[in-house]
Amino acid sequence: MSKILLGVGPTKINKDALREFRGDIELCRTDFSRNLVKNQVQKLNYFFGENRYSFAIPGSGSVGMEACLSNLLQSGDVIVVGVAGIFGWRIVEMAKRLGVQVLVVEADLGKGVQLEKIIELLRHYKVKLVCLVHLETSVGVLQNLDSGFSNFLKERGTLLLLDVVASYGGIELELDKWGVDIAYASTQKCLSAPSGLALISYNDNARREIEKNAQKVNWCYDFSNIYRHISEGVYPYTTPLFLLNVLDSILNYIMKFGKETYINKQRHSGTRVKEIFESIGLKMLPESIWEAPQVKVFYTPPELDSYKIINVLEEYGIEISPGIGKLKHSIIRLGTMGTAANTNELEYLDEIVHAKIKALL
Amino acid sequence: MSKILLGVGPTKINKDALREFRGDIELCRTDFSRNLVKNQVQKLNYFFGENRYSFAIPGSGSVGMEACLSNLLQSGDVIVVGVAGIFGWRIVEMAKRLGVQVLVVEADLGKGVQLEKIIELLRHYKVKLVCLVHLETSVGVLQNLDSGFSNFLKERGTLLLLDVVASYGGIELELDKWGVDIAYASTQKCLSAPSGLALISYNDNARREIEKNAQKVNWCYDFSNIYRHISEGVYPYTTPLFLLNVLDSILNYIMKFGKETYINKQRHSGTRVKEIFESIGLKMLPESIWEAPQVKVFYTPPELDSYKIINVLEEYGIEISPGIGKLKHSIIRLGTMGTAANTNELEYLDEIVHAKIKALL
């Protein structure tokens, strides 16, 4: 039996979406390829929202993170990063390497970042950019956002960056309503495509800043140059055609059923995972108002190393994720992203949890 | 009939090598994946040469180019770039964005860079790095290298970077003999793997410089951090497992037959392409001593727009490459890299050339 992946990503590649994918697509200079490259903007906007500049670049979500920061920031700029887990800290690390002054607003464990604290900082500093992670997979926390916050930022000319690596395709994004000027996502989580592309999306506010940095930012990261080429159906470097084709097939598949169906399936499956583990007495790490729909994180009892649970599930062919850093041995993390939202597999999980995990507690 | 790709890359994916590839490889935390990630170093060294630090990073050859420059250089450094075509100019562009002083040694059209001219510059400047492109696909020129040159660089503590994007897997590389401290390659040319990975390789001299820059270079490009993680079987960001698996299958396939066989096939096919076009009177662009074995570039007669030839071949299902920039309408470029080294397809090319192209001249 092939392994069941219920970790927090990557997910299993969506083979249903690839049934008609030939994999030997003809490369370069064909109308087919040019249209594929041009049309990605509109297709990616199915989740990003209308009227945005959106495209894929070779790399992972982290490449998207660093490329967005590089396109907006210059040495000496002041930014605020809201940190609720390790991906927030990664933004801090990358921004520091760019010579930027970073102000950190850290959330309590299991909570999202309090937007009022960011607003407070913005009253005292001239801040160019605020960075938040929408779904912190390290703790299962979903950051809330509201239009009051975004209006405050807009009034001060501060841009908002949102990491949607783990939420793109899994949660309804309302980037315009939330005032998100720039966002980046990945392909290997809720889309269940192979890893290897970072998805970028920005609005006109971000575009103006990006254009100021054009020619200064790293050549491979230069969004102005990339977007201009993509509008003509090519990339400034080798077009990642194989991965773009797979991505296109998967987006077509999702659009056929509709994003509501696709997203609901992940949320319902997340609810089922929660039921399963709560029914044997495990407590969730995030407070319920911060809980992500398709990533569920549980404490293991103080005397039980989380790897005991992980290893037993592994014996039965189920892979879940351990904690990271200080939480390595005290939490377990499960995802129902993309193809992992599979009812049959969750009923099998339920059986194993009751038959084998309960006995460990 | 499926299209015949005889451009200068990307090439058609090697399906023979993928016959046993399942494409649904189980991700994360498995011994299989960890070993795959660790073992890539040794497998990539099948072409890079022994005792080097070698690994793949997400991206294209251009990402490899920029990542190598970023890891070695700091603002204010002086470098020499030998330019024989557009990829040399791309190095210049990227290096300038890093705040580096760039001295250019430009070759005459159709020739490689004269190493004596670089040596002359090195007598007058304290140069940190010399950059050369091994196979300039824009003009079909193969750069020669020799141990006299590399010894001169070594004595002065100047590092040598070589772009092997178009030669990795297609020409026997002798990086140690040539004194190449750092090199980068791609997967979509002579290896006939999907695009999406840059292959990096460096020796201990380069490693020392790279370690000085660790923590300062962009996070995603930080070779010290990447190599340390790869030694443990993971990446610091999402491991590009799908592409690594495809690459592994293709390297295994090549190793089974031996690189001599694989390289010879490309060279012989290149010779055949040369015969075909010379037999109808076309002249090669590069001087014969600079001619690349698996990339052949021809002038079209002054009165004949190169696109006339390209379009007729296209009608018969054969794709070749046009010139770039000033040469756009006056040259044609053909590659016999990787899977493009196909005898049957070349005999078909020969037929079409004699039946249809000859009549245009």
Side-chain angles (χ1 to χ4, degrees), chain A residues 254-267:
Chain A
I254 295 172
M255 288 162 94
K256 199 169 69 183
F257 296 101
K259 63 181 165 184
E260 296 72 19
T261 310
Y262 192 74
I263 287 173
N264 281 341
K265 201 173 165 194
Q266 295 176 62
R267 196 182 65 237

Side-chain angles (χ1 to χ4, degrees), chain A residues 57-58 63 66-67 70-71 213 215-223 225-226 236-237, chain B residues 57-74 79 87-100 129 131 161-163 165 182-185 198-200 210 213 217-223 226:
Chain A
I57 60 172
V63 167
E66 190 160 56
S70 300
N71 271 273
N213 269 346
Q215 309 295 324
K216 287 180 215 146
V217 72
N218 283 9
W219 191 85
C220 292
Y221 284 175
D222 187 339
F223 289 165
N225 190 34
I226 297 171
Y237 36 72
Chain B
I57 60 171
S60 66
S62 293
V63 168
M65 184 187 276
E66 189 160 57
C68 286
L69 295 171
S70 299
N71 270 272
L72 292 173
L73 301 175
Q74 290 177 312
I79 72 167
F87 292 98
W89 288 120
R90 186 169 294 175
I91 295 175
V92 172
E93 162 84 19
M94 286 177 177
K96 282 186 176 166
R97 290 183 183 215
L98 296 172
V100 168
L129 179 72
C131 306
L161 173 148
L162 190 66
D163 174 320
V165 165
I182 188 162
Y184 54 89
L199 312 178
I200 309 291
I210 287 165
N213 269 345
V217 72
N218 283 10
W219 191 85
C220 292
Y221 284 177
D222 188 339
F223 290 166
I226 297 171

